C-alpha cells in the first residue's frame, strides 16, 4: 500500500523533474542564444562601420585626385590649345599608372573627349561625346560629379567628374577619373564577414565576396536599375534564402553551397555619403553552437543530478526492502520460537504429570497404609459404639462417634492432598503461604517416613508468602522428600531436616538429608539423569529437572549442595511478598 503510494509519488516527482529540466535547458538555450546574437549584432555594426569607412577613404583618394587633375596646368594647357592631345594622353596614362585609377580623361567644354589614358587600348575614345553622362552633367554645376555603373562584361566602375575652370570661374572642360571596383575590392577579400554595399537600385555594387557583386535585393530598390545603366544581363538575384526567427532575431538561412554563411545575422546601415546601404552578413553559427553547448552542459548536469538522486532513492528503497525482509524474518523466527516454547511448555506439563504419577505410584503403598489405619480405627470405634449402645452406655458411644468423625477428617485431609497433588495445574500464580504447603507435603510424606524409620525435623516460620502455584510448589517439596528418603534407604542415620525462613525479601526452604549425597552433583538437574532403576515406580530422572523449571517459573531458584558430614541439601529460594502484598 505504502510502497504503491511511494511509487506514485516517485513517478510524479520524476515527471516534474524531467519537465523542469527541459524548461531549464530550453531557457538556457534561449538566453545564451539571445546574448550571443546580441553580441554578433554589435560586432556586425562594427564591421559595417569599418567597411564603410574603408570604402569612403578609398573613394576619397580618387575624388581628391580628380580635384587635383582639374587644376593641373597640363590639363588647362590642352583645353586652351597650348598642348597636344597625344602629349596629354601620355601624361594621363602616367597619372593612372601611379594612382591606380583605371582611366583618366580630359573633356572639352562640350563634353567631348580630348585626351585619355586609354588612348592606346581604345584610340576611338578620343572625340566621343560624354556630355550626357550623369557625372559630367553634375560636374557642370561645379560640383564633383559621381556615378557608378557596370559594362556589358559585368565590369563595375566608379566615376568622378570635375570641371576645369577658367579664371572667371566658368567651366572650360572636364576631368573624368574612372575607378575599377574589382581592383578596389582586391584587398577586401580576406575579410571574415561578408559585407556588401547596395546602391539605390538595390544592386550589390561593392562587396568583399565576388559572387555577391551585381546581385539584386529588390527590397532595397528605390530607383530602377536603368538609372545606373546596368545592362540587364549582368544582374542576378541574391542567393536563395529563407527567413527564420530564433533567439528574438531574424536570421537569413542560405542554401549551403553559396558563399554566404549557412545562417546569417544581417546588419544594415545607410551610408548617405555614397548613397548606398551597407550590409554585413554575420555568421550566426558561433552563437548557435555556444547556445547548444551550454544547453547540452545544463542537460548533462541536470541528468547527472537526476541520476545521482535516482541512485540515492533506489539504494534507500533497497535498504528499506532489506530492513523489511529482515523484520519479516525476525518476526517469523519469533513466531517459531513462541510456538516451540508453547510446545515445550506442553511437553513439560505432560512430564510433570507423568512424574507426579510416578511419585504417586511410589507413595501409593504408604498412602494405602495411611488410609488403612483410620479405616481400621473407624471399624473398631464403630463396633465398640454399637456394643456400648446395646449396653445402654450412650455417652461413651457418643465419644466413639466423635473419634470416628476425627478419623474421617484425617482421611479427607489425606485424600484432599492427594487430589491436589495429582491435578494438572496450569493456573496463573497466586499468593501462597509456603508454610501451609510445607505442612501438606509433610502430611503426604509422613507415613512413608514413619514406615522407613526416617525422622523429620521441621523448623518453619508460620507464615511465609510468595507468588507461586500451590500444587506445583507442593509437588517440588514432595519430590525433594521422596528423593531424600530414596537416598537414605541404606543409611545408618535417617534424618530429614526442613527449615523455612524469610530473610528480607527472600524466602528459603532447605531440605537436607543424611544420605550419601549426590555422586555427580553437576548433573542433578539434567533431564533423565537418574541413578535409580528405570521403571514406572522407580526413577525417571525428571523429578529434579522439572522441579528446577517450576521454581524458575515462580522467579526463584532451586540449588543443591553436598553437606560436609555427608548428605545432600536442596534449597528453594523464592522472592518474598511483602506483608502488605501478602495481606491483600
Ligand atoms: P529420579 O528421582 O527419578 O532419579 P530426579 O531428577 O529426582 O530423578 O533425581 C535425579 C538423581 O539425583 C537421582 O537419581 C539421584 O541419583 C540424585 N539425587 C536426587 N536427590 C538426591 C538426594 N537427596 N541424595 C542423593 N542423591 C540424590
Amino acid at each position: 500500500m505504502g510502497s504503491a503510494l511511494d511509487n506514485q509519488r516517485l513517478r510524479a516527482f520524476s515527471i516534474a523533474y524531467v519537465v523542469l529540466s527541459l524548461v531549464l535547458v530550453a531557457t538556457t538555450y534561449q538566453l545564451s542564444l539571445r546574448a550571443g546574437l546580441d553580441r554578433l549584432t554589435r560586432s556586425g555594426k562594427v564591421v559595417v562601420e569599418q567597411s564603410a569607412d574603408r570604402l569612403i577613404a578609398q573613394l576619397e583618394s580618387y575624388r581628391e585626385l580628380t580635384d587635383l587633375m582639374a587644376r593641373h596646368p597640363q590639363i588647362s594647357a590642352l583645353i586652351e590649345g597650348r598642348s597636344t592631345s597625344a602629349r596629354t594622353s601620355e601624361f594621363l596614362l602616367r597619372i593612372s599608372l601611379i594612382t591606380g585609377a583605371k582611366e583618366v580623361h580630359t573633356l572639352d567644354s562640350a563634353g567631348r573627349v580630348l585626351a585619355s589614358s586609354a588612348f592606346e587600348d581604345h584610340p576611338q575614345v578620343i572625340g566621343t561625346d560624354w556630355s550626357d553622362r550623369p557625372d559630367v552633367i553634375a560636374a557642370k554645376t561645379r560640383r564633383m560629379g559621381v556615378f557608378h555603373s557596370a559594362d556589358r562584361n559585368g565590369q563595375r566602375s566608379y566615376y568622378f567628374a570635375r570641371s576645369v575652370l577658367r579664371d572667371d570661374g566658368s567651366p572650360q572642360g572636364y576631368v573624368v577619373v574612372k575607378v575599377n571596383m574589382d581592383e578596389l575590392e582586391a584587398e577586401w577579400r580576406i575579410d571574415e564577414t561578408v559585407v556588401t554595399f547596395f546602391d539605390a537600385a538595390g544592386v550589390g555594387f561593392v562587396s568583399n565576396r565576388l559572387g555577391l557583386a551585381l546581385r539584386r535585393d529588390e527590397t532595397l530598390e528605390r530607383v530602377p536599375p536603368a538609372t545606373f545603366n546596368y545592362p540587364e544581363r549582368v544582374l542576378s538575384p541574391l542567393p536563395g534564402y529563407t527567413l527564420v526567427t530564433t533567439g528574438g532575431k531574424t536570421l537569413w538561412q542560405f542554401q549551403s553551397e553559396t558563399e554566404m554563411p549557412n545562417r546569417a545575422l544581417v546588419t544594415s546601415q545607410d551610408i548617405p555619403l555614397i548613397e548606398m546601404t551597407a550590409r554585413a552578413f554575420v555568421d550566426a553559427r558561433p552563437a548557435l553552437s555556444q547556445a547548444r553547448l551550454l544547453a547540452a552542459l545544463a542537460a548533462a548536469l541536470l541528468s547527472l543530478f537526476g541520476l545521482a538522486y535516482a541512485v540515492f532513492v533506489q539504494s534507500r528503497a533497497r535498504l528499506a526492502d532489506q530492513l523489511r525482509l529482515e523484520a519479516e524474518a525476525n518476526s517469523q523466527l519469533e513466531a517459531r520460537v513462541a510456538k516451540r516454547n508453547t510446545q515445550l511448555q506442553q511437553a513439560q506439563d505432560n512430564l510433570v504429570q507423568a512424574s507426579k504419577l510416578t511419585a504417586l505410584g511410589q507413595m501409593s503403598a504408604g498412602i494405602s497404609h495411611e488410609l488403612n489405619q483410620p479405616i481400621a480405627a473407624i471399624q473398631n470405634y464403630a463396633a465398640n459404639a454399637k456394643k456400648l449402645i446395646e449396653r445402654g452406655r450412650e455417652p461413651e458411644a457418643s465419644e466413639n462417634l466423635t473419634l470416628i468423625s476425627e478419623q474421617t477428617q484425617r482421611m479427607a485431609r489425606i485424600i484432599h492432598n492427594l487430589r491436589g497433588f495429582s491435578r494438572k495445574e496450569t493456573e496463573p500464580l497466586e499468593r501462597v503461604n509456603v508454610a501451609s504447603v510445607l505442612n501438606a507435603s509433610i502430611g503426604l510424606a509422613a507415613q512413608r517416613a514413619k514406615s522407613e524409620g526416617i525422622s523429620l525435623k521441621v523448623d518453619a516460620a508460620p507464615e511465609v508468602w510468595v507468588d507461586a502455584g500451590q500444587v506445583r510448589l507442593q509437588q517440588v517439596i514432595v519430590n525433594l522428600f521422596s528423593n531424600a528418603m530414596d537416598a537414605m534407604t541404606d543409611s545408618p542415620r535417617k534424618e530429614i531436616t526442613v527449615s523455612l525462613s524469610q530473610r528480607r525479601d527472600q524466602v528459603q526452604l532447605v531440605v537436607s538429608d543424611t544420605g550419601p549425597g549426590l555422586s555427580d552433583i553437576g548433573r542433578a538437574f539434567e533431564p533423565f539423569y537418574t541413578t535409580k532403576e528405570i521403571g514406572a515406580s522407580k526413577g525417571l530422572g525428571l523429578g529434579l529437572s522439572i522441579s528446577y523449571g517450576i521454581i524458575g517459573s515462580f522467579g526463584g531458584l532451586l540449588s543443591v549442595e553436598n553437606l560436609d558430614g555427608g548428605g545432600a541439601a536442596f534449597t528453594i529460594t523464592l522472592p518474598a511478598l511483602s506483608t502488605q502484598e501478602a495481606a491483600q
Side-chain angles (χ1 to χ4, degrees):
M1 232 345 250
S3 96
L5 200 72
D6 277 359
N7 276 346
Q8 229 172 34
R9 278 222 313 256
L10 198 67
R11 190 161 329 135
F13 179 80
S14 306
I15 291 170
Y17 185 78
V18 168
V19 169
L20 194 77
S21 300
L22 288 177
V23 169
L24 270 174
V25 168
T27 311
T28 308
Y29 179 78
Q30 276 298 322
L31 288 178
S32 157
L33 187 62
R34 264 164 209 269
L37 289 179
D38 281 348
R39 229 175 11 250
L40 289 184
T41 308
R42 283 196 297 277
S43 86
K45 276 199 179 112
V46 171
V47 167
V48 159
E49 273 163 20
Q50 284 174 344
S51 303
D53 285 350
R54 182 171 57 182
L55 178 60
I56 288 167
Q58 282 174 318
L59 292 177
E60 193 61 29
S61 67
Y62 292 106
R63 176 190 290 266
E64 278 167 12
L65 171 69
T66 313
D67 241 357
L68 268 169
M69 294 307 292
R71 272 179 267 144
H72 199 280
Q74 178 63 39
I75 303 301
S76 45
L78 172 69
I79 292 171
E80 287 161 15
R82 286 180 282 111
S83 182
T84 63
S85 166
R87 189 181 293 165
T88 310
S89 290
E90 282 289 350
F91 167 71
L92 294 179
L93 178 61
R94 260 199 337 272
I95 293 293
S96 81
L97 289 174
I98 293 166
T99 60
K102 183 71 180 167
E103 290 169 10
V104 187
H105 310 277
T106 308
L107 278 57
D108 66 12
S109 60
R112 263 192 309 271
V113 178
L114 288 177
S116 167
S117 63
F119 72 98
E120 281 180 329
D121 296 342
H122 308 288
Q124 74 282 3
V125 74
I126 311 288
T128 48
D129 184 358
W130 282 11
S131 63
D132 57 349
R133 290 179 55 103
D135 46 338
V136 177
I137 294 169
K140 282 179 184 160
T141 62
R142 295 209 219 157
R143 287 191 289 119
M144 176 70 74
V146 286
F147 186 59
H148 67 268
S149 183
D151 65 14
R152 276 171 290 133
N153 303 319
Q155 189 69 249
R156 290 162 293 135
S157 305
Y158 205 95
Y159 299 92
F160 294 92
R162 191 88 165 121
S163 50
V164 181
L165 300 177
R166 289 193 192 88
D167 290 341
D168 64 358
S170 64
Q172 57 173 346
Y174 304 94
V175 170
V176 175
V177 172
K178 174 180 172 181
V179 182
N180 187 321
M181 299 316 290
D182 279 351
E183 286 164 23
L184 202 83
E185 289 166 350
E187 64 189 75
W188 293 23
R189 302 276 181 247
I190 51 167
D191 287 356
E192 199 184 327
T193 304
V194 179
V195 179
T196 302
F197 291 81
F198 293 88
D199 63 18
V203 174
F205 187 70
V206 196
S207 177
N208 55 6
R209 297 290 186 281
L210 201 57
L212 281 190
L214 299 178
R215 297 277 195 166
R216 278 177 70 195
D217 183 351
E218 283 167 8
T219 61
L220 292 173
E221 187 177 317
R222 296 192 296 276
V223 297
T227 316
F228 300 105
N229 295 341
Y230 288 123
E232 193 68 47
R233 65 186 192 86
V234 302
L235 299 181
S236 60
L238 276 180
Y241 65 88
T242 46
L243 293 179
V244 284
T245 304
T246 182
K249 293 273 192 303
T250 302
L251 300 182
W252 295 35
Q253 184 158 5
F254 289 96
Q255 267 105 50
S256 49
E257 67 273 14
T258 66
E259 280 176 288
M260 305 302 261
N262 189 243
R263 283 179 179 210
L265 182 68
V266 179
T267 319
S268 293
Q269 195 179 330
D270 285 338
I271 317 291
L273 206 62
I274 50 172
E275 291 181 359
M276 290 196 190
T277 304
R279 262 194 182 157
F281 297 88
V282 183
D283 192 349
R285 243 175 339 191
L288 287 164
S289 49
Q290 191 190 17
R292 256 184 245 128
L293 192 76
L294 270 177
L297 207 71
L301 274 177
L302 288 165
S303 308
L304 209 70
F305 187 70
L307 208 69
Y309 188 73
V311 167
F312 169 69
V313 167
Q314 282 257 315
S315 62
R316 215 177 50 173
R318 213 169 313 138
L319 195 72
D321 273 357
Q322 216 170 319
L323 286 178
R324 193 166 46 72
L325 285 179
E326 272 172 23
E328 267 171 25
N330 275 347
S331 68
Q332 273 174 4
L333 205 66
E334 275 165 19
R336 281 223 302 271
V337 168
K339 195 172 154 197
R340 204 53 60 78
N341 275 345
T342 337
Q343 285 171 347
L344 279 175
Q345 185 62 45
Q346 253 164 21
Q348 198 198 19
D349 288 350
N350 291 340
L351 283 174
V352 167
Q353 195 59 13
S355 89
K356 278 198 290 195
L357 293 177
T358 308
L360 263 186
Q362 283 176 332
M363 289 188 290
S364 60
I367 291 163
S368 56
H369 178 83
E370 186 80 349
L371 287 178
N372 272 339
Q373 247 192 349
I375 289 171
I378 287 170
Q379 271 177 344
N380 264 339
Y381 290 136
N384 279 345
K386 193 180 168 205
K387 283 179 193 155
L388 287 170
I389 289 169
E390 281 170 1
R391 290 177 200 162
R393 289 155 66 179
E394 271 140 17
E396 283 167 76
S398 160
E399 249 172 60
N400 269 10
L401 288 180
T402 309
L403 287 170
I404 289 173
S405 159
E406 276 171 9
Q407 289 301 321
T408 46
Q409 269 172 17
R410 187 179 158 202
M411 288 169 71
R413 212 167 52 238
I414 293 169
I415 290 164
H416 173 81
N417 283 345
L418 264 183
R419 257 223 325 265
F421 182 73
S422 59
R423 204 167 57 211
K424 193 169 176 180
E425 189 191 50
T426 49
E427 286 97 49
L429 303 189
E430 57 189 344
R431 284 188 311 117
V432 170
N433 183 3
V434 186
S436 45
V437 178
L438 178 62
N439 280 337
S441 308
I442 291 170
L444 277 177
Q447 180 53 42
R448 182 180 163 195
K450 200 171 159 193
S451 67
E452 291 182 15
I454 298 169
S455 66
L456 268 170
K457 279 194 190 160
V458 181
D459 174 17
E463 268 196 41
V464 178
W465 292 91
V466 295
D467 254 340
Q470 187 159 347
V471 177
R472 282 176 285 173
L473 182 58
Q474 181 177 331
Q475 183 194 344
V476 173
I477 298 170
V478 167
N479 188 51
L480 292 181
F481 286 162
S482 62
N483 271 349
M485 292 191 279
D486 286 349
M488 292 187 296
T489 317
D490 301 326
S491 297
R493 192 171 141 233
K494 299 181 182 188
E495 196 175 283
I496 294 179
T497 314
V498 182
S499 82
L500 172 63
S501 62
Q502 176 171 357
R503 212 173 298 150
R504 266 173 293 178
D505 50 358
Q506 282 208 325
V507 173
Q508 268 199 342
L509 174 65
V510 184
V511 178
S512 46
D513 59 55
T514 52
L518 284 99
S519 49
D520 190 352
I521 200 162
R523 300 184 60 196
F525 300 112
E526 227 171 67
F528 302 109
Y529 168 69
T530 178
T531 54
K532 296 166 197 170
E533 202 181 313
I534 304 280
S537 60
K538 302 283 182 172
L540 262 183
L542 287 172
L544 282 181
S545 67
I546 288 170
S547 299
Y548 186 87
I550 289 172
I551 298 301
S553 74
F554 299 156
L557 187 73
L558 175 61
S559 58
V560 61
E561 58 182 330
N562 280 330
L563 297 172
D564 288 343
F570 285 85
T571 306
I572 296 172
T573 311
L574 285 169
L577 285 179
S578 66
T579 3
Q580 277 165 344
E581 284 171 314
Q584 272 170 8

